[in-house]
Amino acid sequence: AATGDEAHLSAVIGDTGLAFAKDVLIGEAVRSLTPLRLPGAEKAFHVPFLGGIRAAVSNITLFHLDVGDDSVVGLGDSALVVVVSGITANISMAWSYSYYSWYFPVEISDSGTASILVQGMEVGTTMEIKNYNGSLALNATQCGCSVKDLVISLDGGASWFYQGFINAFEDHIRAAVEKVIPENIIGSTSKLDSLLQGLPRSVSLDNVTALNMTFVNDPQYGNSSIEFDISGLFTSTVAKTSNLQKHPQLSLSCGGASNMLLLSLDEDVFNSALEAYFKAGSMHWVVDKVPDQSLLNTAGWKFIIPRLYWNYPNDDMVLNISMTSSPLMRITSEKIGATINADMIIDVLHGTETVPVACISVVVSASGVVEASGDKVYGTVGLDDFSLSLKWSKIGNFHMSLIQGVIRVFLNTVCMPYLNSHLGNGYILPVVHDFTLKDVHVVTSTEQLMLCSDITFANASRLAALPVL
């Protein structure tokens, strides 16, 4: 059952990504299937002049699988189909043989081992991925196995004499392989299902915000890709954010490049993060050091705002900056822009007192670019324009044109570098441990930012044991 939330983040796995996932799954399936114990068997029959004969095979173990490159992955309306052909396998077993006849009152027996070469094996699996209460549920709806040829070679005892009798067990071994392998694949699928349902629905970035990773609706199957829709909005751990509405689904494209994975983030994702930080009270900044420290002394403002200097001669100042609303981000194909509304209160350090003397409303327009490397995204921002208005003053009215040059220098030399120092640290993308994004490039379109990437897998542990960041 799907949730009623809107999707703001989409992950599209393309044909190369599906091929990568297929190879990872096949590799993990081979490891889970080897070694694999198959059921033994006994046969008893009567032969004229010889009497009763009993033959048995036991300790039948499939210990090696060679998959090769003959495998395909296909997409149906609501399922993923993986077919692997041309598989060879090696099986070991023990055999025993005995008979008793009234001609020979002593039981005659023999035993040994055998090696079996399985050729031309084909395995096909159909898997459905559904949305179950905001998580992904994986179910193997069909799984089949067929064996083309078996070559049984006996060792020990008079194996040359008994080869024909042991060949009578060929049908049993073939049937056992064709039954047990699908059963174990379905069992392995249940472990992968547990992994998917155990993916966190919320990823905390810090003590203020968390990313909502709830899946929305069932996956959408295309001709050569699967799209997963995720809520993707940031939530505050201390304040509730507003319900942002998603724009209509846009066509997702990596600009013609063939990548394994495409992550599409609506601008609402970024705006929800900004809103979460704003409502948590994190967008407040006290400036007491600047490159030109004279700007934070009333003497530096002597000819700009004379009354400030007359009332508080040679006193130091601090700038108390607070956002008045959550910054608003806009994404276009040309750039990523933001509008920031803030109040800047001028505080004078007069003796032991901190005296607020004026409040200036500042509206800043900025734009920047986003880059990605590994599992992190980085950003840089620059000033486009700004406007000023006097909100209140205890030192008389003064025209904003008088301080516009000083504020421009302040924004370019203090505010923008401060923002870039945080954006330059990068933000980690939530990915499954041992999977790494490779050759990431960023594409922007109207109201969307897309990360196009390939994936590498450090095959260090079984999929069922992979933790999630």
Side-chain angles (χ1 to χ4, degrees), residues 16 58 60 80 86 107 158 160 164-165 178 217 310 331 357 396 420 426 429 450:
T16 53
S58 60
I60 308 174
L80 181 71
E107 182 179 77
W160 60 270
F165 292 97
E178 294 177 344
N217 302 319
W310 295 340
I331 302 176
V357 297
N420 286 326
L429 296 168
M450 289 167 283

Side-chain angles (χ1 to χ4, degrees), residues 115-161:
S115 59
I116 304 171
L117 176 63
V118 180
Q119 296 176 314
M121 183 162 62
E122 181 175 276
V123 177
T125 305
T126 301
M127 294 176 287
E128 283 186 346
I129 304 176
K130 296 286 188 180
N131 185 321
Y132 181 74
N133 293 330
S135 296
L136 292 180
L138 178 68
N139 179 35
T141 58
Q142 292 180 336
C143 186
C145 173
S146 64
V147 174
K148 184 178 180 181
D149 294 312
L150 288 178
V151 179
I152 304 176
S153 301
L154 274 66
D155 303 304
S159 57
W160 60 270
F161 180 74

Side-chain angles (χ1 to χ4, degrees), residues 30 63 123 141 145 164 174 212 243 268 302 310 350 354 382 397 429:
V30 169
F63 63 89
V123 177
T141 58
C145 173
R174 182 193 304 272
N212 186 346
N243 184 22
D268 286 345
K302 182 176 182 179
W310 295 340
H350 186 63
T354 299
N397 292 328
L429 296 168

